Amino acid sequence: MIDTNIFQDKTAVYYTLGCKLNFSETSTIGKILRDAGVRTARKGEKADICVVNTCSVTEVADKKCRQAIHRLVKQHPGAFVVVTGCYAQLKPETVAKIEGVDVVLGAEQKKDLLQYLGNLQKNESGEAYASALKDIHSFAPSCSRGDRTRYFLKVQDGCDYFCSYCTIPFARGRSRNGTIASMVEQARQAAAEGGKEIVLTGVNIGDFGKTTGETFFDLVKALDEVEGIERYRISSIEPNLLTDEIIEFVSHSRSFMPHFHIPLQSGSDEVLKLMRRRYDTELFASKVRKVKEVMPDAFIGVDVIVGTRGETDEYFEQAYEFIKSLDVTQLHVFSYSERPGTQALKIDHVVTPEEKHRRSQRLLELSDEKTHAFYARHIGQTLPVLLERSKPGTPMHGFTANYIRVEVPHNDTLDNQVVPVRLGDFNEDGTALQGMVLL
């Protein structure tokens, strides 16, 4: 039994890098500390505990993690510093040597954070606790409140895919999940707290069910029946795991939105093979066609990596033309980053940083064109928008079912409400449509 008296009236700050899953898990860590008596430090207040939840998807991410740790150590002198997340799992000893770090917790340890805090006395040097990959087994539940409107429900963790460029399976372990019953209960709790929208998060959520003998489709059907939750969004799902039955179900679902995020990574079949992805461009195109066939106005976001080893100029041009041909809404473009220990390092043909940047810019411009056209098609329509709180005097914003960002004049009474909005023209910076609430 942990004596929590030491934590009473202590303060903590949290810093998260990386994906929605990380943000969800940081929220759970925050709840663990709050339940032990620790409150979140106010702005400008010196904290007793600093928690950094790290990412390691790229070399840049590693660098940002180190910078964040240095910054927090400087801002909160004497604070007990805990570092967890993917970078902590992959490089625990390296992180432990960063000045000011007290404890480094790997993927298996972070759920038991309280056990590693001791009496909050600073350590002479950082202590690292991280299990070997084969010993990462547990699934730590998490349903975090991103704000009063949107929750992030962790449904799955880990990955069995081992793509040639990726370290996530080494940082997160094998695919595992909680039960559908536990997910439904967390969704009900979110509804009881006033949540209207839940985003399903994980590392490879379409792989849900590996440890419980269930399926992601079973999960979707069960969550759709939870009263009080008006909207679900599927954060990201591999194209080979996005089945036609899931697409069909979403098309007539009560609460699953016509909004998909499907990682492509490359529009070249040759590069997909080098990446060890589990589909080809024809399968990907067929999924996009299926979504648009049953949901013509669906928002489709797509992840793309440029400049991977082996991506010649010819392969990139093939990829560009393929992506251009797709009826998708937005591209999330990433530059390939060499990760130690990955199979991609054995591939010939290295793309220069300058060429990676050029390719990224071309795809980002294509993305802007596609998003602008998608938004423009909806001008003049009246659609339900879930509005979110904003600072007094600034426009409120929210999203349509198909994820069009909309701005409306400030009105506190509309916070966390789904209201009909007539969509007007683009705002000044082109990031949203201006709307008029119709009540």
Side-chain angles (χ1 to χ4, degrees):
M1 192 73 179
I2 299 171
D3 181 5
T4 58
N5 287 327
I6 187 68
F7 303 123
Q8 301 306 309
D9 298 321
K10 297 295 185 183
T11 59
V13 292
Y14 307 89
Y15 193 88
T16 308
L17 299 103
C19 61
K20 290 185 176 73
L21 179 55
N22 266 13
F23 281 87
S24 178
E25 290 175 339
T26 299
S27 180
T28 298
I29 289 171
K31 184 177 186 304
I32 291 170
L33 287 176
R34 282 196 303 278
D35 290 346
V38 179
R39 65 174 175 81
T40 301
R42 302 181 186 92
K43 187 174 181 180
E45 185 179 14
K46 295 291 187 292
D48 300 301
I49 305 168
C50 295
V51 179
V52 185
N53 193 357
T54 62
C55 173
S56 190
V57 71
T58 64
E59 189 177 345
V60 172
D62 289 355
K63 183 178 180 181
K64 286 182 177 179
C65 292
R66 293 190 294 270
Q67 290 172 336
I69 294 167
H70 290 310
R71 187 165 59 250
L72 285 173
V73 167
K74 187 175 180 180
Q75 290 173 348
H76 303 276
F80 192 90
V81 178
V82 183
V83 182
T84 188
C86 291
Y87 188 36
Q89 173 65 33
L90 289 170
K91 300 285 185 181
E93 300 299 336
T94 300
V95 177
K97 291 176 182 175
I98 297 175
E99 186 175 352
V101 170
D102 293 287
V103 173
V104 179
L105 302 179
E108 191 71 9
Q109 288 75 26
K110 60 187 168 189
K111 68 183 186 303
D112 301 316
L113 173 129
L114 283 184
Q115 297 178 16
Y116 298 92
L117 297 183
N119 59 4
L120 296 181
Q121 291 299 308
K122 296 286 291 179
N123 295 324
E124 287 186 15
S125 58
E127 298 175 353
Y129 303 90
S131 300
L133 179 63
K134 62 181 178 60
D135 297 322
I136 301 175
H137 301 300
S138 62
F139 178 81
S142 176
C143 186
S144 72
R145 184 190 299 201
D147 46 50
R148 278 195 61 238
T149 305
R150 186 176 296 108
Y151 280 67
F152 295 93
L153 174 61
K154 174 182 172 182
V155 302
Q156 181 272 344
D157 201 348
C159 186
D160 295 344
Y161 274 21
F162 291 91
C163 298
S164 66
Y165 56 86
C166 185
T167 58
I168 298 304
F170 304 105
R172 288 266 178 187
R174 307 290 288 198
S175 181
R176 58 204 185 277
N177 56 273
T179 64
I180 288 177
S182 69
M183 300 301 157
V184 167
E185 182 53 39
Q186 289 176 82
R188 286 177 178 152
Q189 180 60 33
E193 293 173 6
K196 297 289 180 67
E197 180 175 309
I198 291 179
V199 181
L200 307 187
T201 69
V203 178
N204 187 0
I205 65 175
D207 210 27
F208 176 93
K210 280 280 183 73
T211 51
T212 56
E214 299 166 313
T215 70
F216 184 65
F217 185 42
D218 293 335
L219 174 66
V220 166
K221 290 187 290 185
L223 289 174
D224 196 50
E225 296 179 6
V226 175
E227 293 183 9
I229 300 299
E230 298 187 30
R231 294 179 167 190
Y232 291 97
R233 298 189 190 273
I234 300 172
S235 64
S236 179
I237 184 167
E238 293 285 306
N240 53 302
L241 298 176
L242 179 58
T243 63
D244 286 357
E245 63 182 357
I246 293 173
I247 296 170
E248 291 280 0
F249 182 84
V250 171
S251 73
H252 59 75
S253 157
R254 175 190 69 83
S255 55
F256 274 81
M257 299 294 96
H259 174 197
F260 294 88
H261 192 97
I262 318 172
L264 170 62
Q265 311 306 19
S266 176
S268 160
D269 284 327
E270 289 78 5
V271 175
L272 288 174
K273 289 174 187 174
L274 292 173
M275 290 177 160
R276 296 187 179 177
R277 302 291 286 167
R278 301 192 178 195
Y279 53 86
D280 57 16
T281 53
E282 177 47 41
L283 183 140
F284 192 93
S286 72
K287 297 301 178 182
V288 173
R289 286 195 298 269
K290 179 63 179 178
V291 169
K292 289 296 186 174
E293 174 190 319
V294 295
M295 291 170 278
D297 288 328
F299 183 109
I300 302 178
V302 176
D303 286 342
V304 184
I305 301 173
V306 301
T308 54
R309 283 198 175 213
E311 187 186 61
T312 63
D313 291 346
E314 180 185 359
Y315 290 162
F316 174 74
E317 290 304 327
Q318 290 174 4
Y320 182 89
E321 291 302 323
F322 173 72
I323 295 167
K324 187 177 180 181
S325 73
L326 295 172
D327 188 6
V328 297
T329 316
Q330 190 175 54
L331 306 177
H332 294 257
V333 184
F334 305 88
S335 287
Y336 168 70
S337 178
E338 309 243 281
R339 307 311 292 139
T342 57
Q343 293 299 306
L345 299 180
K346 299 176 182 178
I347 300 171
D348 292 330
H349 185 77
V350 176
V351 182
T352 66
E354 294 76 18
E355 180 60 20
K356 287 180 190 176
H357 179 73
R358 189 187 72 82
R359 293 176 186 180
S360 291
Q361 290 306 117
R362 284 187 65 193
L363 285 175
L364 288 170
E365 288 169 7
L366 178 62
S367 176
D368 287 345
E369 291 172 13
K370 287 181 174 292
T371 305
H372 190 277
F374 181 79
Y375 274 37
R377 287 203 304 271
H378 292 79
I379 291 175
Q381 295 183 12
T382 297
L383 298 173
V385 174
L386 176 56
L387 292 171
E388 302 176 18
R389 179 188 287 124
S390 66
K391 294 178 182 177
T394 64
M396 299 182 75
H397 82 272
F399 291 91
T400 63
N402 60 344
Y403 209 57
I404 294 173
R405 183 182 170 96
V406 180
E407 288 184 354
V408 303
H410 187 93
N411 182 341
D412 278 334
T413 65
L414 300 180
D415 175 38
N416 199 32
Q417 301 298 314
V418 178
V419 296
V421 177
R422 180 178 294 141
L423 306 186
D425 210 340
F426 288 88
N427 64 357
E428 284 187 14
D429 60 11
T431 58
L433 295 182
Q434 298 173 357
M436 177 186 295
V437 176
L438 304 177
L439 289 177

